[in-house]
Amino acid sequence: MGNALRFLYGHCCKPSAAGDSDSLGPHGVSAATVGVSALAQDLFSFEITSKVPEGLSNHVASSRKAQANWYRKLLVAWRESNPPPKTPEEASRLVVQTLKRHHKADVEGLLAFYGLPLPHTLVETTAEVPVALPQGVVFEFHTLPVDARAVADGDTVTVYVSTSDPRESCLVPQEVQIAALERSEARAHRDYARADALHKSIVDAGYRVIPVHNEEVLARKYRIRLRGIDAPEGGMPYGNEAKEELAKIVQGKCLRVLVYGEDRYGRSVGDLYCNSLFVQKLMLKKGMAWHYTAYDQRAELAKWEKSARAKRIGLWASPNPEEPWEWRKNKRERR
């Protein structure tokens, strides 16, 4: 069952050029993007099954019993790390430190199995100033390709994040991991009724198994409320146009999401980037949304709304369009 979790991996960053094959690790994907997640998934699989991955013995000389001992130590170290490793270098350092009393050849073989840097290639560097995230960002993630049907309106979309993401891999409830494994096995035995029942339990827990590039990926569901804009509601003029515009921007794309927190409806409030383009900027400049000044004072949002107003495009073709927040207020009062 050690390989049963391979279907959990996302493939938004799968290499496509022929020359990329040189960088492929034993898992068939770029070690630079997936090696860390492969190790994380195998550790959590070991916690459930007590089995080490198939194929590891081709890279190390020690027995399966010794290998299991490594994974027990690594599982403890991984869970105690805060935050958990996110880069290949961080993962390599955790493995080297945790298994420092074990044979050098075995440690290097384990690292090679995951395509992680070997000890002699690790270089201690001084901390560099990272590209600054906007003030208030709590965390960020990258989504799987977005389904256009997941766009609720011009400022709300449902996205899914692969549990192979280093941050997400630590948060998957054990019952979801077990259900995903059992569902995979049920489908392999063509027991589709049981597989469907298990998938329902996964969905009820806020996850879903999604087909990506002919493989199945276990993913976590997030409802995203675009920060700083307010699009017309469905029953308002330009409500449908705003929804269609957002769907056109994000359909089939992997998005970068910067999350600031949650709103009162449990949605993650965030900035969306699609192919490095700021989605809120596109919606404002096309006249498909208002700058929501009650919750976001960023000057650039006001500038982009002003530009669309001046050109009288989108909803600004009307001389005095009704604001969504006023429309919602009046609707509540009528009730």
Side-chain angles (χ1 to χ4, degrees):
M1 194 179 294
N3 283 335
L5 283 168
R6 296 297 169 219
F7 76 96
L8 301 178
Y9 300 150
H11 296 275
C12 285
C13 301
K14 178 179 279 189
S16 56
D20 287 339
S21 61
D22 291 340
S23 67
L24 297 183
H27 303 288
V29 276
S30 168
T33 55
V34 179
V36 182
S37 297
L39 174 59
Q41 294 288 4
D42 283 340
L43 288 174
F44 298 137
S45 177
F46 176 81
E47 183 180 33
I48 297 168
T49 66
S50 297
K51 294 182 179 179
V52 299
E54 297 294 335
L56 179 57
S57 293
N58 295 330
H59 291 74
V60 300
S62 293
S63 66
R64 300 282 282 189
K65 183 178 179 180
Q67 294 170 30
N69 185 41
W70 305 342
Y71 276 74
R72 275 191 290 272
K73 292 181 178 180
L74 290 171
L75 180 60
V76 172
W78 192 281
R79 290 199 175 281
E80 290 180 349
S81 59
N82 186 24
K86 293 183 179 180
T87 67
E89 291 76 16
E90 291 173 352
S92 286
R93 288 190 176 93
L94 182 141
V95 171
V96 172
Q97 178 63 28
T98 304
L99 302 182
K100 61 184 178 182
R101 299 182 183 277
H102 295 267
H103 293 297
K104 177 182 178 182
D106 281 334
V107 174
E108 293 185 349
L110 178 65
L111 293 173
F113 177 65
Y114 290 104
L116 297 173
L118 297 179
H120 69 274
T121 67
L122 296 174
V123 177
E124 293 297 333
T125 59
T126 58
E128 296 181 349
V129 178
V131 176
L133 293 174
Q135 184 178 4
V137 172
V138 180
F139 63 93
E140 70 172 293
F141 57 72
H142 294 260
T143 75
L144 294 173
V146 177
D147 189 327
R149 294 171 295 180
V151 176
D153 52 37
D155 54 40
T156 305
V157 59
T158 297
V159 301
Y160 287 89
V161 182
S162 172
T163 55
S164 67
D165 178 278
R167 177 181 180 276
E168 293 297 331
S169 65
C170 306
L171 303 175
V172 185
Q174 189 175 77
E175 59 269 22
V176 172
Q177 297 179 48
I178 294 172
L181 288 169
E182 291 181 348
R183 176 185 178 275
S184 181
E185 292 174 351
R187 289 181 62 82
H189 290 91
R190 298 186 178 183
D191 187 353
Y192 298 117
R194 174 167 169 73
D196 290 345
L198 287 165
H199 193 237
K200 183 179 184 303
S201 70
I202 293 171
V203 171
D204 290 343
Y207 290 79
R208 182 178 293 273
V209 178
I210 298 175
V212 180
H213 299 299
N214 299 318
E215 295 199 28
E216 292 191 316
V217 177
L218 178 65
R220 182 178 177 182
K221 175 181 177 181
Y222 284 90
R223 291 178 65 223
I224 307 298
R225 174 64 165 84
L226 276 66
R227 183 174 186 256
I229 70 171
D230 200 1
E233 300 290 340
M236 298 178 65
Y238 280 91
N240 289 333
E241 289 86 344
K243 176 180 177 180
E244 290 171 4
E245 182 63 34
L246 180 57
K248 185 169 66 174
I249 294 170
V250 304
Q251 181 178 8
K253 304 295 196 309
C254 296
L255 306 178
R256 180 190 183 204
V257 184
L258 308 183
V259 178
Y260 291 81
E262 285 192 358
D263 66 9
R264 58 180 176 172
Y265 303 107
R267 298 175 299 188
S268 297
V269 178
D271 288 341
L272 265 61
Y273 290 85
C274 180
N275 292 334
S276 300
L277 299 176
F278 186 25
V279 174
Q280 282 97 311
K281 177 180 180 179
L282 298 177
M283 294 297 289
L284 287 167
K285 294 195 75 171
K286 293 184 178 186
M288 292 297 164
W290 278 259
H291 173 204
Y292 205 1
T293 56
Y295 292 95
D296 194 320
Q297 301 295 321
R298 285 180 285 184
E300 59 268 31
L301 302 184
K303 180 184 71 173
W304 297 325
E305 181 192 297
K306 183 178 180 181
S307 172
R309 280 178 179 261
K311 296 176 182 177
R312 302 188 68 82
I313 59 175
L315 62 92
W316 305 115
S318 301
N320 189 28
E322 184 179 13
E323 295 94 341
W325 52 91
E326 290 295 334
W327 186 87
R328 290 189 294 266
K329 178 182 175 182
N330 293 335
K331 186 177 180 180
R332 288 192 298 268
E333 290 175 352
R334 286 193 297 269
R335 289 178 179 174

